[in-house]
Amino acid sequence: QIDSAAAGRRALGTFDMATQIDQVVQVLQATLSADEHTRHQAEQYLTQHAYAKSHVVVLMQVATAPQADASMRQSATINLKNLIAKGWDPRREDAARLHEEDKATVRANVLEALIQSPEIVRSQLNECVKVIANADFPERWPNLLETLVGYLATDDVPRVYGAVTVISVLCRKYEYKDKDERLALTPVINAAFPRLLQMLQSLLAMEDKREDAQLALLVKAIVKTYWSATYLDIPDALMRGDVYGAWIQCMHAIIVMPVPERGQPADPAERKHFPWWKAKKWALHVANRMFQRYGNPKQCKPEHKPFAEAFKRDCSCAFLESYVRLLSVLPAGGFLPDRIINLALQYLTTALTGSNTYKMMRPLLDDIVFQIAFPQLCHNAADQELWDTDPNEVVRKGYDIIEEMYSPRTAAVNFIVELCRCRSKENLPKVMGFMMQIFARCAEATRANGPAATPHPELGAALHAIGSLQDKLKSTTGYKEQIEPMLMAHVAPCFASPFPHVRAKACWCAGVYAEIEFQNPANFLALFGGVVAALKDDQLPVKVDATTALGSFVEAAEDIEQLKPILPQLLDEFFKLMNEVESEDLVFTLETIVEKFGEDIAPYALGLAQNLAAAFWKLTNSQDDKDDDDMNGALACVGCLRAIATILESISTLPHLYGQIEPTLMPILRKMLTQEGYDVYEEILEICSYITYYSPTVTPAMWELWPIMFDALESWGIQYFENVLVPLDNYISRGTEHFLAAPRYRDDVLRLCGTVILANEFPEPECIPAPKLMECVLQNCRGRVDDVVPGYLAVALERLPRCKGKYLKDLLIQVVANCLYYDAPLTLRTLEKNGKTNDALSAWFAMLSARTPNGKRKHHKREHDKKVCALGLTALLRAPAEAMPPAVAQGLGSITSVLVALLDDLKTQMTERKEMEENGYRGHGFWGGGDTDDEGEYVDEDLGDGGDDDPEDEKEPLDEEALRALAMKARKFGQFDPRGGDDDDDDDETRVEDDPVVAAERAWNEAQKTPEIPSPMSMHYALDLIEGPPEEAAARASIAKQIFAAASRTPWRSIRNLRVNGVAIDDDDVPALSGGDEGAGWDFVESAAGGTSPAFLELDFFGPDVFERLKIEPHQMRFTKGDEE
């Protein structure tokens, strides 16, 4: 009965699987339907059942079913690939996942499916294997290697090829891993690569079977696998002399072997895909990488030096010879794929710096330069065909970085430039002479037979070479003096060439030399005029090259007044061109024009913004239509937004224009502030910052972006918090009434800051903007947001003990300081209610007192930090007696001592900063990334200063004697102006309305009138003006005079309990000092001494220490020469 029941379940399972397969087949057929509704329903079904049990297995069965229709199998394979890519090993924990049973079934069958399937299915299954191997090998797929090695031992070519393909996948998994992680590849190397080497040697020996395409594909797969296995470093098993030599011999054999003519496509564009050419390409890759890594033993790791010396001796010249032989077919019209020419010339370029390789190449250089490299620069038939049929593609290829990497033209130029750079003595004159001969020959042909007879391919190539040699020519005596005459004699006439590619090269060549110092300004204007005229050329590539050159000329122009008349024309041409082509260089040039002309661009600002917005939408839509990432398109999108930001900056003195431009930009801002704008988010936020800061008001439309920004920060974009902070600050500071009108704005701030600060998932650098945002609210909404204070304090104090970085600690404790500044009684009540008063203030004062051995602060290093702390302390001192907790009231003396030291350091830092600014140094911008600490070291606000793990942090806080020493700096108080603060405040922080010194004075004045608070204490000075070396008497007297000079500049009673030579002076006589000049105080002392020379003074001086309420017991201090003033 049990067996019968089991059989019944198996039968039922088989029936269910068959049913599922039928359903999936029908759905896949429906996805190919011409009816949109039918397709939509089928796609919905596939989406809904994607992670259902057995669904992925059914897809693989359909994909590999030999009886199924090819289009059906392809559709099933694509769905299978996409499903495995998403659901096999998703990064997010909450993401949907495939069932483990289904994954085990797929792992058990995917290799066989890969081997048995046709190419149209195999290519998709190969992607599936990549995902599975990357996630599961070796831990969850332990038998994979054994299976693959078994396949290699068979004579079944498809099975062997499949095994090599998967081994290549495993090697690629570790391609970019470090040495320790690559140890997991060792078993694969040891088990599979001996067999791969044997196979490769056998395949290369089969000369009679070279026409077999399958054999060539297998050779290519093995070489590509070796490339991946040795990408960053050669494994030990492959570096042994006999093993490495055998592999290198195989690579050399592939490079020099002739490619069978039979079977090659007739079309050159298709011929490069012939398997033997691909195998040769990967062999070149391997040889190039080995030469770059081991060709110069001096640049190798010490452990690789013997190996590199052997490679240099035995291999480098052998490969060079084979490369030259490979390229030698080109002068006679022989065929080589572009990528192979590119790789071969790269090897030759590297060989120029090696003594042995250059010595071998030196007799061949004329042929290499003038017969192989230079012809690659020439305009050819394929170039002309593309120019005639697809000028947009000409533009794209000309400015595509990836195209340049693979281009033989770029490799040829690089070879010529490197030759003239590192072997210039004998080669630069030869190359330049050759170029001048071409210019002369072209000029002669033009004079004799007219412009149409010019050998234009060579002329364009010469212009290309001359422009590419710009760095060398500009810096070489004997050549740099001839650049200007050369431009006028040979480049300027090319603007009028009947050949468009020559006109384009003339524009580009003139642009790269626009920055030279022209002896004749008329020559600069002539070339500039040629470029401007080319903007109206009827050929698109010419106009684009002219645009790029124009940016260089505008940037180099010293006097833009002469350019202003043509500004409307330039912008008009730009607008037309932006509608024709997508080019980031065009946008960058427009950005240069906007920056250069500044406010003069204002009349065109709206039109520029509209055109740039239109160009941005066009580029964005074209990006959506492309399957692969388009680097150029992405750069152009960024360029559009940067240009818009530049325009907004240029009209900052014309705020009314922002209201006109804002509606044009609003659709972009709404869309790109979501995750769709991930790639341009920083640029979008910069635009928001300009609009919210410079507009007369923050408009309702801009307030609609507030929730979008918070949604981004809370869902996916917390890494942009620092960038978002700038517009948020503008919202709060410039739209304060709107911010206060709706409680949800305050709730958003508290919720976000609480989440970021308290959650452990965010690294500390990403938490830093949160306390800054809370500060922004507290300082801009004083007295109007009492409800947020308890929340802010709770968040800051809960995180504070867990902080590791000093900078985040500083900012969190500054939340307490800002709350005190906002409302000290409310803050004290809140701290007392939650039992946090002692914890908060103790931590704060410990941070304020912490110093390095050389006396520099460990915390609160920036001016802004010190100001916030000073204002918080003065607010604490000004708190009413009834609001003052007893513990705080008892420690007022310590509080005042901390404050005076803080004010003293602040004044010093402000003075140093002003001196630096006067010497040309400017600090960082709004909410800048860092500041300079007291030791002149850069403090990165994003990263703090490395945490609290340095030994200095273990030292005890300053003792009472040290505090007394700090308080002695009170005599510097005369440097502060009690009537007001420093007008040149930090411009990169939330605006602090109060000056800390004025606030401190206000606190002291109020304290004197408040009997409940203990009477203010002063520093007691005992000045021995006689005892000690006579030469120091003048210094001691000078210090005493300075004390009285300071007293004479303070608007309150500054000296009490004065004794001169032991005689007490009536306090009623002392006020006569107030308001006197600097000498009045000392004159009074001399008169008090009865006309004798003052010898010993005792007094209580109310300087900055009054602010600190520092109570110091009377003590005697001797002042010596060099003591701090």
Side-chain angles (χ1 to χ4, degrees):
Q1 291 178 346
I2 293 174
D3 291 341
S4 176
R9 285 195 298 272
R10 286 197 297 271
L12 181 60
T14 303
F15 174 78
D16 288 344
M17 180 64 72
T19 303
Q20 279 186 280
I21 291 174
D22 291 339
Q23 286 180 333
V24 169
V25 168
Q26 292 175 10
V27 171
L28 291 173
Q29 288 175 335
T31 61
L32 304 175
S33 171
D35 181 64
E36 183 178 352
H37 179 68
T38 303
R39 288 200 313 273
H40 180 66
Q41 284 186 321
E43 290 165 358
Q44 278 190 321
Y45 176 92
L46 291 173
T47 302
Q48 292 170 0
H49 293 78
Y51 298 97
K53 187 73 171 62
S54 302
H55 180 72
V56 67
V57 177
V58 170
L59 284 174
M60 190 167 71
Q61 288 185 329
V62 176
T64 57
Q67 72 275 14
D69 180 70
S71 61
M72 183 67 56
R73 294 181 68 178
Q74 184 180 22
S75 177
T77 313
I78 292 173
N79 278 277
L80 175 68
K81 178 195 71 173
N82 294 336
L83 182 55
I84 288 177
K86 291 181 180 178
W88 194 274
D89 188 29
R91 293 182 180 180
R92 289 175 49 188
E93 291 294 330
D94 58 343
R97 296 170 181 269
L98 295 173
H99 292 269
E100 288 300 324
E101 291 181 28
D102 291 345
K103 290 166 68 173
T105 303
V106 171
R107 274 194 301 265
N109 294 278
V110 70
L111 292 181
E112 195 65 31
L114 181 71
I115 293 166
Q116 300 296 338
S117 299
E119 176 60 28
I120 193 172
V121 174
R122 188 165 58 242
S123 61
Q124 303 295 335
L125 289 176
N126 193 40
E127 295 301 316
C128 296
V129 172
K130 286 181 184 178
V131 174
I132 299 170
N134 284 333
D136 294 357
F137 180 81
E139 293 83 2
R140 292 187 292 275
W141 206 353
N143 64 332
L144 174 60
L145 180 57
E146 182 182 355
T147 302
L148 295 174
V149 173
Y151 287 175
L152 291 177
T154 68
D155 294 327
D156 185 349
V157 175
R159 195 168 297 276
V160 171
Y161 183 77
V164 174
T165 302
V166 178
I167 292 171
S168 180
V169 167
L170 298 181
C171 292
R172 288 188 65 186
K173 175 182 178 179
Y174 298 97
E175 226 175 52
Y176 299 101
K177 305 295 184 181
D178 60 31
K179 191 171 184 178
D180 292 338
E181 291 178 296
R182 287 172 63 85
L183 291 176
L185 190 61
T186 302
V188 179
I189 302 294
N190 294 335
F193 272 69
R195 175 57 182 161
L196 291 178
L197 177 58
Q198 293 174 3
M199 289 169 52
L200 183 59
Q201 290 171 327
S202 299
L203 292 170
L204 294 177
M206 299 177 184
E207 296 185 14
D208 57 331
K209 294 185 179 181
R210 293 261 173 93
E211 295 177 357
D212 186 347
Q214 193 66 32
L215 183 149
L217 287 172
L218 190 52
V219 169
K220 184 206 79 171
I222 295 174
V223 174
K224 192 173 179 181
T225 303
Y226 182 84
W227 156 265
S228 294
T230 60
Y231 187 78
L232 288 181
D233 207 354
I234 301 178
D236 292 339
L238 299 180
M239 192 174 265
R240 294 201 313 266
D242 56 336
V243 176
Y244 181 79
W247 278 103
I248 288 300
Q249 286 175 3
C250 289
M251 302 301 161
H252 186 266
I254 295 171
I255 293 172
V256 300
M257 65 173 283
V259 175
E261 289 293 332
R262 187 174 177 181
Q264 290 196 50
D267 184 359
E270 295 297 325
R271 199 179 304 173
K272 65 182 180 182
H273 300 300
F274 189 59
W276 277 117
W277 285 123
K278 285 195 169 185
K280 199 179 286 283
K281 178 188 75 173
W282 283 105
L284 289 167
H285 269 301
V286 171
N288 282 19
R289 177 59 53 85
M290 296 300 173
F291 188 40
Q292 291 169 359
R293 188 181 296 156
Y294 304 113
N296 187 348
K298 295 180 180 179
Q299 296 178 355
C300 293
K301 299 176 182 177
E303 62 268 26
H304 292 161
K305 191 170 183 179
F307 180 86
E309 289 173 346
F311 180 90
K312 178 180 179 180
R313 180 184 66 248
D314 302 330
C315 302
S316 59
C317 288
F319 275 119
L320 178 61
E321 182 182 7
S322 64
Y323 277 63
V324 174
R325 190 189 313 168
L326 185 67
L327 291 170
S328 64
V329 304
L330 292 177
F335 172 79
L336 283 180
D338 286 352
R339 185 62 169 137
I340 288 182
I341 300 173
N342 172 278
L343 290 168
L345 287 171
Q346 284 186 37
Y347 190 99
L348 267 60
T349 302
T350 306
L352 290 170
T353 57
S355 57
N356 62 327
T357 48
Y358 181 71
K359 182 179 180 180
M360 177 183 175
M361 199 179 357
R362 189 173 182 181
L364 309 172
L365 275 176
D366 285 358
D367 289 339
I368 294 173
V369 174
F370 305 128
Q371 299 299 318
I372 294 174
F374 183 77
Q376 298 301 315
L377 277 60
C378 295
H379 190 76
N380 55 40
D383 296 328
Q384 190 58 48
E385 181 182 359
L386 186 63
W387 191 292
D388 295 335
T389 58
D390 194 350
N392 284 84
E393 181 65 6
V394 173
V395 172
R396 188 198 67 78
K397 292 182 70 173
Y399 290 89
D400 190 320
I401 299 173
I402 304 301
E403 288 281 351
E404 288 189 357
M405 288 174 58
Y406 297 153
S407 167
R409 184 164 292 160
T410 302
V413 166
N414 291 341
F415 175 79
I416 293 172
V417 170
E418 182 68 6
L419 176 68
C420 294
R421 185 194 69 80
C422 67
R423 305 290 180 179
S424 61
K425 187 175 181 180
E426 55 183 317
N427 292 298
L428 181 58
K430 193 182 301 183
V431 169
M432 288 303 297
F434 180 76
M435 300 306 164
M436 293 303 109
Q437 288 177 13
I438 291 177
F439 286 139
R441 189 164 64 249
C442 291
E444 180 60 29
T446 301
R447 283 193 297 268
N449 302 305
T454 303
H456 59 92
E458 293 183 357
L459 179 58
L463 291 171
H464 192 169
I466 291 296
S468 300
L469 288 168
Q470 55 162 317
D471 291 334
K472 185 62 179 177
L473 297 181
K474 290 175 183 176
S475 60
T476 304
T477 302
Y479 291 93
K480 61 184 178 182
E481 297 84 0
Q482 299 302 315
I483 292 177
E484 184 176 347
M486 179 191 68
L487 292 174
M488 300 312 298
H490 304 301
V491 178
C494 292
F495 288 124
S497 171
F499 302 102
H501 74 92
V502 174
R503 299 199 298 272
K505 277 292 180 286
C507 291
W508 172 80
C509 188
V512 300
Y513 288 106
E515 65 180 20
I516 68 169
E517 185 175 348
F518 282 84
Q519 300 302 312
N520 185 352
N523 291 336
F524 176 87
L525 293 177
L527 293 171
F528 181 51
V531 170
V532 172
L535 291 174
K536 295 185 177 183
D537 199 285
D538 60 352
Q539 298 290 312
L540 180 63
V542 178
K543 290 192 285 189
V544 173
D545 280 339
T547 298
T548 305
L550 180 66
S552 301
F553 276 97
V554 171
E555 184 70 29
E558 296 181 358
D559 182 11
I560 63 168
E561 290 299 323
Q562 55 191 340
L563 307 183
K564 288 181 180 179
I566 63 170
L567 181 59
Q569 174 193 345
L570 294 180
L571 296 178
D572 185 55
E573 295 299 331
F574 265 97
F575 295 156
K576 292 177 183 177
L577 198 54
M578 288 173 67
N579 292 324
E580 295 184 59
V581 67
E582 301 171 10
S583 170
E584 73 275 11
D585 291 272
L586 189 152
V587 177
F588 296 156
T589 297
L590 185 57
E591 186 179 357
T592 300
I593 291 175
V594 172
E595 289 178 348
K596 195 73 173 182
F597 284 91
E599 293 184 4
D600 293 312
I601 213 75
Y604 317 100
L606 179 58
L608 280 168
Q610 290 173 339
N611 278 274
L612 287 166
F616 176 82
W617 286 122
K618 182 180 178 182
L619 290 163
T620 303
N621 294 334
S622 68
Q623 287 282 97
D624 294 340
D625 294 338
K626 295 177 181 177
D627 295 332
D628 300 322
D629 292 337
D630 177 19
M631 184 180 295
N632 285 340
L635 289 173
C637 287
V638 171
C640 285
L641 297 177
R642 284 178 49 192
I644 290 172
T646 304
I647 292 169
L648 294 175
E649 183 182 18
S650 69
I651 61 171
S652 59
T653 58
L654 304 167
H656 65 281
L657 292 178
Y658 289 91
Q660 300 174 21
I661 296 176
E662 183 183 303
T664 299
L665 303 180
M666 194 53 62
I668 295 177
L669 300 181
R670 286 197 185 97
K671 182 175 182 179
M672 293 301 153
L673 281 171
T674 66
Q675 198 162 4
E676 289 188 56
Y678 183 87
D679 293 331
V680 295
Y681 211 68
E682 293 182 14
E683 289 74 22
I684 289 292
L685 290 172
E686 185 180 10
I687 291 173
C688 291
S689 301
Y690 280 122
I691 295 177
T692 52
Y693 188 78
Y694 287 114
S695 293
T697 60
V698 182
T699 64
M702 288 300 298
W703 276 102
E704 293 175 6
L705 303 180
W706 172 284
I708 302 176
M709 294 182 189
F710 272 82
D711 178 70
L713 291 174
E714 292 175 324
S715 58
W716 60 269
I718 192 62
Q719 66 271 27
Y720 292 107
F721 198 174
E722 192 74 27
N723 304 86
V724 179
L725 181 61
V726 181
L728 293 183
D729 180 277
N730 294 339
Y731 276 113
I732 297 169
S733 61
R734 303 196 68 253
T736 307
E737 298 305 320
H738 189 101
F739 174 79
L740 294 171
R744 68 183 179 90
Y745 296 126
R746 302 197 294 276
D747 295 341
D748 288 341
V749 173
L750 180 57
R751 183 183 67 252
L752 174 65
C753 294
T755 301
V756 171
I757 292 175
L758 299 180
N760 293 324
E761 60 187 279
F762 300 113
E764 288 197 354
E766 292 183 0
C767 300
I768 284 173
K772 292 182 179 181
L773 182 58
M774 292 191 286
E775 174 181 285
C776 180
V777 174
L778 291 168
Q779 293 201 0
N780 286 284
C781 307
R782 291 186 69 188
R784 306 177 71 179
V785 286
D786 291 5
D787 55 316
V788 307
V789 172
Y792 287 6
L793 288 170
V795 168
L797 294 176
E798 182 175 341
R799 178 61 188 267
L800 186 64
R802 295 188 281 119
C803 275
K804 295 181 180 180
K806 292 180 185 178
Y807 187 57
L808 182 58
K809 277 186 180 179
D810 292 352
L811 293 176
L812 290 176
I813 208 65
Q814 284 172 36
V815 173
V816 178
N818 274 297
C819 287
L820 287 167
Y821 176 59
Y822 172 87
D823 189 329
L826 171 62
T827 301
L828 292 171
R829 286 197 305 270
T830 303
L831 293 174
E832 280 291 289
K833 180 180 177 181
N834 295 282
K836 294 291 185 179
T837 306
N838 184 61
D839 292 344
L841 296 184
S842 297
W844 189 15
F845 297 149
M847 292 166 65
L848 287 170
S849 301
R851 301 265 180 170
T852 62
N854 59 359
K856 305 299 181 181
R857 287 190 177 274
K858 291 186 178 181
H859 295 274
H860 308 298
K861 298 179 178 181
R862 305 176 308 156
E863 286 184 31
H864 181 82
D865 300 338
K866 294 180 177 67
K867 291 177 181 179
V868 168
C869 290
L871 291 171
L873 291 172
T874 55
L876 182 60
L877 293 176
R878 294 173 62 188
E882 61 271 15
M884 189 83 69
V888 178
Q890 293 172 8
L892 288 178
S894 297
I895 296 173
T896 50
S897 70
V898 170
L899 177 58
V900 69
L902 191 65
L903 291 171
D904 191 13
D905 287 350
L906 173 61
K907 182 63 178 179
T908 300
Q909 189 170 358
M910 292 169 66
T911 301
E912 291 174 351
R913 189 248 306 160
K914 288 180 180 178
E915 291 175 354
M916 293 174 69
E917 290 176 354
E918 290 173 358
N919 293 329
Y921 171 83
R922 294 297 303 172
H924 300 277
F926 189 83
W927 284 114
D931 206 340
T932 306
D933 67 10
D934 296 332
E935 298 172 344
E937 296 180 353
Y938 185 71
V939 180
D940 190 331
E941 291 192 3
D942 289 338
L943 301 178
D945 49 11
D948 298 332
D949 54 354
D950 57 309
E952 296 172 358
D953 290 346
E954 303 301 325
K955 296 187 180 299
E956 294 296 322
L958 298 177
D959 57 17
E960 182 180 2
E961 193 63 32
L963 289 176
R964 289 177 179 174
L966 288 174
M968 287 297 292
K969 295 183 178 181
R971 60 182 173 276
K972 279 188 175 178
F973 180 66
Q975 299 176 11
F976 289 92
D977 183 356
R979 294 168 295 179
D982 184 357
D983 293 335
D984 191 15
D985 199 358
D986 286 354
D987 60 358
D988 63 340
E989 301 290 356
T990 301
R991 275 63 64 190
V992 180
E993 296 178 1
D994 283 353
D995 181 278
V997 180
V998 176
E1001 177 191 336
R1002 189 160 56 243
W1004 163 237
N1005 287 337
E1006 293 177 2
Q1008 290 204 96
K1009 300 175 183 176
T1010 309
E1012 293 85 357
I1013 297 180
S1015 58
M1017 293 296 167
S1018 66
M1019 177 66 72
H1020 185 92
Y1021 291 91
L1023 308 182
D1024 186 344
L1025 303 184
I1026 294 180
E1027 185 177 347
E1031 65 270 14
E1032 295 178 359
R1036 294 194 296 275
S1038 174
I1039 291 171
K1041 290 182 180 180
Q1042 289 181 46
I1043 291 176
F1044 282 92
S1048 68
R1049 293 197 295 272
T1050 55
W1052 56 77
R1053 195 171 192 165
S1054 301
I1055 293 179
R1056 292 184 182 179
N1057 303 327
L1058 174 64
R1059 300 173 70 85
V1060 180
N1061 295 344
V1063 179
I1065 306 299
D1066 191 342
D1067 283 349
D1068 290 338
D1069 295 332
V1070 176
L1073 291 174
S1074 289
D1077 59 28
E1078 294 190 7
W1082 191 246
D1083 293 342
F1084 172 77
V1085 171
E1086 289 184 329
S1087 63
T1092 63
S1093 176
F1096 190 83
L1097 305 180
E1098 288 182 90
L1099 59 107
D1100 292 335
F1101 173 54
F1102 291 73
D1105 50 297
V1106 171
F1107 306 156
E1108 309 154 344
R1109 303 160 190 255
L1110 175 63
K1111 185 173 182 179
I1112 300 294
E1113 294 300 322
H1115 67 284
Q1116 182 168 321
M1117 178 176 288
R1118 300 187 189 281
F1119 288 85
T1120 60
K1121 190 174 183 180
D1123 188 54
E1124 283 191 305
E1125 293 183 1

